[in-house]
């Protein structure tokens, strides 16, 4: 039985044993560098956000059972026209790309993953291929100095040293060469005609897609990663082959020789990073991977969304990083152009403090470590030092090391006393800093640990805190 690529809008991911590493040395090096960034700021945004529904998906009748449940004020055909025409009222006058970038930096994000085009086909960048775009006269926002939203964001995020990952949807439900009007309403999310019978239509769609990707690759500065959504568009499914290799190789031979490509769920040489969605693998993956998930419950803006707490987000970040992955954390902007800052303020501050703890260690690295039992109360406010560690070899630990700002490395292991006890075992490496010549002493270091479900490590807590700050840290 063929594996379902997308269920209720959520993609599966390619198995680690099927991963094909890139051949190009420059791409290999860039993948390794990118996987050290760990935390990306993902954003779904388009004119349809004004309606407060899922982005794009309600347009697909084949996905109606789950995607159209928010549409309760009119019939679905009227809604579709409202959604398609939302560009005519989209005017996010409060959009300030510099403030977005500042918030991202404060939260500890290291790269941006922004929807240049979702499945609805609306382009959040200036393109010569269609008038269904943010800079068209039909969109009130086209007179803003920030009208080319994609360019404005890329420039501001780069100023703060953040990398750029380009979200781009392979399917385009607005393009007449994908969902062709002559064949009626598309019954599924797939192309609505036979490519074998109408190859000229498909060739036009491929050309259209290549031109848009070429615009993004040539006109928007350095692109670190091309993140391609819509995994059902592949040659093994209704022969939907967009001939990705042609445009990727063109870009790599030109302005983007380092270009990472995430052709989600398709596998092969152009899925350089595997992308689980709204899930975290149970075990470490020894390949490049990135989980994309949400601060709230939805990727798109909803007026009644519920947001995760800072504690939940830190748990999530460290669970992913501990297994060798990156986290692309999605926050949907509001229709007026502001970010729901009050929703991410507390989580953002916590994430910002937590980022000092994951400085790019690889899963499976071997370190000389020692093991000792530690009681939290004994070390509050004190540097934890232990001069006589026995060297041990850790083969594929469950969790990779966490590195604090001072260079001390900690292996936390899921072997605890009772759930609410503050005693636990930790495998620790002394910092590699040289001894102080004046005092003859090596610097101490703080110990970081996790707790989850009473007996698994997960919660990130520095020991140099006040006692009141850790009273309930062992709660699940």
């Amino acid at each position: 039985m063929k594996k379902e690529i997308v269920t209720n809008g959520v993609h599966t991911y390619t198995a680690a044993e099927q991963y094909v590493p890139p051949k190009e040395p420059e791409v290999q090096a860039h993948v390794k560098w990118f996987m050290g960034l760990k935390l990306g700021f993902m954003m779904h945004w388009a004119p349809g956000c004004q309606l407060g529904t899922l982005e794009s998906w309600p347009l697909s009748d084949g996905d109606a059972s789950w995607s159209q449940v928010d549409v309760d004020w009119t019939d679905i055909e009227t809604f579709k026209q409202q959604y398609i025409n939302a560009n005519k009222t989209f005017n996010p006058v409060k959009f300030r790309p510099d403030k977005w970038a500042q918030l991202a930096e404060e939260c500890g994000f290291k790269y941006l993953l922004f929807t240049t085009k979702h499945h609805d086909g609306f382009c959040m960048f200036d393109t010569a291929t269609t008038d269904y775009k943010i800079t068209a006269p039909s969109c009130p926002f086209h007179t803003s100095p920030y009208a080319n939203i994609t360019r404005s964001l890329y420039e501001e995020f780069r100023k703060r040293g953040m990398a750029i990952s380009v979200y781009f949807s392979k399917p385009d439900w607005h393009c007449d060469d994908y969902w062709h009007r002559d064949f009626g309403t598309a019954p599924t999310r797939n192309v609505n005609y036979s490519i074998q019978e109408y190859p000229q239509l498909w060739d036009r769609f491929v050309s259209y897609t290549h031109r848009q990707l070429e615009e993004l690759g040539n006109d928007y500065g350095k692109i670190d990663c091309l993140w391609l959504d819509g995994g059902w568009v592949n040659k093994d499914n209704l022969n939907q082959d967009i001939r990705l290799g042609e445009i990727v190789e063109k870009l790599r031979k030109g302005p983007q020789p380092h270009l990472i490509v995430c052709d989600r769920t398709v596998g092969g040489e152009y899925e350089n990073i595997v992308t689980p969605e709204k899930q975290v693998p149970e075990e470490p993956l020894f390949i490049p991977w990135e989980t994309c998930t949400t601060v709230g419950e939805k990727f798109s803006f909803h007026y009644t969304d519920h947001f995760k707490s800072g504690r939940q987000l830190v748990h999530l970040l460290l669970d992913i990083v501990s297994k060798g992955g990156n986290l692309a954390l999605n926050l949907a902007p509001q229709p007026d152009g502001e970010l729901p800052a009050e929703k991410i303020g507390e989580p953002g501050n916590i994430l910002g403090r937590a980022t000092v703890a994951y400085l790019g260690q690889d899963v499976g690295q071997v370190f000389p470590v020692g093991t000792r039992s530690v009681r939290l109360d004994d070390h509050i406010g004190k540097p934890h030092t232990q001069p006589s560690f026995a060297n041990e070899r850790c083969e594929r630990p469950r969790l990779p090391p966490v590195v604090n700002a001072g260079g001390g490395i900690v292996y936390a292991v899921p072997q605890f006393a009772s759930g609410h006890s503050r005693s636990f075992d930790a495998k620790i490496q002394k910092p590699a800093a040289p001894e102080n010549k004046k005092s003859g002493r090596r610097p101490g270091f703080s110990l970081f640990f996790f707790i989850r479900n009473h007996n698994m490590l997960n919660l990130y807590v520095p020991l140099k805190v006040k006692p009141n700050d850790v009273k309930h840290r062992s709660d699940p």
Side-chain angles (χ1 to χ4, degrees):
M1 179 180 292
K2 186 175 181 180
K3 183 179 181 181
E4 186 68 26
I5 293 174
V6 178
T7 302
N8 292 357
V10 176
H11 281 66
T12 57
Y13 62 96
T14 301
E17 58 269 20
Q18 297 174 349
Y19 178 75
V20 178
K23 300 175 184 178
E24 302 83 352
E26 195 160 355
V27 178
Q28 292 174 2
H30 209 56
V31 168
K32 184 175 182 179
W33 169 82
F34 190 83
M35 290 307 301
L37 300 181
K38 298 305 177 190
L39 185 59
F41 196 6
M42 187 179 195
M43 286 183 280
H44 282 65
W45 201 34
C49 70
Q50 297 169 91
L51 299 174
T53 65
L54 295 176
E55 189 167 355
S56 302
W57 284 106
L59 300 174
S60 172
D61 288 342
D63 297 282
S65 63
W66 60 270
S67 70
Q68 296 175 1
V69 294
D70 291 330
V71 183
D72 57 4
W73 65 90
T74 188
D75 64 273
I76 196 63
E77 293 307 316
T78 300
F79 162 80
K80 289 179 182 178
Q81 289 307 309
Q82 291 174 344
Y83 186 99
I84 293 169
N85 293 328
N87 63 307
K88 298 177 182 178
T89 56
F90 189 53
N91 194 21
V93 294
K94 294 183 178 180
F95 171 59
R96 285 284 302 276
D98 55 335
K99 289 187 176 181
W100 287 22
Q102 179 182 352
L103 176 65
E105 183 180 44
E106 291 172 353
C107 291
F109 292 104
K110 304 300 182 185
Y111 61 96
L112 171 68
L113 175 55
F114 178 73
T115 50
T116 64
K117 183 183 77 169
H118 205 256
H119 315 325
D120 58 21
F122 187 83
C123 295
M124 297 291 278
F125 63 101
D126 188 30
T127 174
T129 62
T130 179
D131 287 331
Y132 199 51
K133 59 182 178 179
I134 191 68
T135 55
S138 58
C139 181
F141 195 61
H142 81 279
T143 59
S144 168
Y146 305 127
N148 190 339
I149 287 176
T150 295
R151 184 183 301 282
S152 299
L153 286 172
Y154 288 1
E155 289 176 352
E156 291 297 332
F157 275 68
R158 285 197 188 102
K159 285 179 184 178
R160 295 176 180 271
M162 283 175 267
I164 300 298
S165 185
V166 174
Y167 175 110
F168 183 89
S169 169
K170 293 187 294 181
D172 187 321
W173 296 337
H174 191 79
C175 179
D176 204 40
D177 294 320
Y178 193 79
W179 278 0
H180 200 287
R181 64 174 64 91
D182 287 352
F183 300 96
T185 302
T188 71
R189 67 181 75 116
N190 294 289
V191 62
N192 72 336
Y193 59 85
S194 169
I195 294 174
Q196 185 175 358
E197 292 182 32
Y198 300 96
Q200 71 279 8
L201 294 181
W202 186 254
D203 287 342
R204 286 211 305 255
F205 178 69
V206 171
S207 176
Y208 174 82
T209 302
H210 284 201
R211 281 183 288 147
Q212 290 187 344
L213 289 174
E214 197 164 5
E215 287 173 335
L216 290 167
N218 288 333
D219 303 336
Y220 287 79
K222 182 180 179 180
I223 302 300
D224 296 287
C225 180
L226 178 60
W227 204 93
L228 298 172
D229 204 10
W232 62 91
V233 177
N234 66 76
K235 65 181 179 180
D236 295 327
N237 181 35
L238 303 177
N239 200 32
Q240 297 180 86
D241 183 5
I242 63 168
R243 302 196 289 275
L244 180 61
E246 295 177 15
I247 185 62
V248 169
E249 295 310 318
K250 188 173 184 179
L251 292 175
R252 284 179 175 172
K253 290 178 181 178
Q256 313 288 350
H258 56 275
L259 184 64
I260 301 166
V261 180
C262 298
D263 193 12
R264 304 186 69 200
T265 74
V266 176
E269 60 181 321
Y270 298 116
E271 191 175 17
N272 305 146
I273 296 176
V274 171
T275 55
E277 182 172 341
K278 281 201 163 185
Q279 59 181 310
V280 180
E282 292 184 2
E283 299 293 335
L285 297 182
F286 295 88
I287 60 170
W289 65 278
E290 169 199 77
T291 279
C292 60
T293 192
T294 54
V295 174
E297 295 176 347
K298 312 291 186 183
F299 280 103
S300 56
F301 175 79
H302 278 62
Y303 292 95
T304 57
D305 205 354
H306 299 92
F307 291 78
K308 298 177 179 68
S309 69
R311 176 175 175 173
Q312 288 173 311
L313 292 176
V314 172
H315 281 204
L316 177 66
L317 171 64
L318 292 170
D319 188 23
I320 290 169
V321 171
S322 73
K323 295 171 182 172
N326 281 9
L327 168 60
L329 188 61
N330 186 92
L331 181 69
Q334 299 172 173
D336 63 2
E338 285 195 324
L339 294 175
E342 73 279 3
K343 300 298 185 182
I344 198 175
E346 179 222 352
N349 290 336
I350 295 174
L351 284 172
R353 291 195 298 269
T355 54
V356 299
Y358 60 68
L359 304 179
Q361 297 299 320
D362 295 330
V363 174
Q365 282 187 308
V366 176
F367 292 90
V369 297
T371 303
R372 67 164 293 178
S373 180
V374 180
R375 182 169 174 78
L376 178 59
D377 292 336
D378 295 339
H379 298 279
I380 291 172
K382 304 174 185 177
H384 174 66
T385 56
Q386 172 66 18
S388 57
F389 285 120
N391 287 344
E392 300 176 10
R393 183 175 176 83
C394 291
E395 301 288 354
R396 284 188 60 175
R398 179 177 176 79
L399 300 176
V402 175
V403 184
N404 72 4
I409 297 176
V410 175
Y411 271 107
V413 293
Q415 297 164 355
F416 288 88
S418 62
H420 290 281
S421 170
R422 290 177 179 172
S423 296
F424 59 94
D425 289 335
K427 293 188 175 183
I428 308 166
Q429 180 186 352
K430 293 182 294 184
E435 66 180 31
N436 187 308
K437 291 184 179 180
K438 291 183 178 180
S439 65
R441 298 171 58 188
R442 292 184 180 273
F445 57 92
S446 297
L447 179 64
F448 294 80
F449 73 102
F450 303 68
I451 299 176
R452 178 175 59 195
N453 297 332
H454 295 269
N455 59 4
M456 292 293 290
L457 299 172
N458 194 29
L459 181 59
Y460 173 80
V461 180
L463 291 184
K464 291 183 178 179
V465 293
K466 298 177 182 178
N468 290 340
D469 289 341
V470 295
K471 279 186 176 179
H472 304 292
R473 295 291 189 172
S474 57
D475 294 342

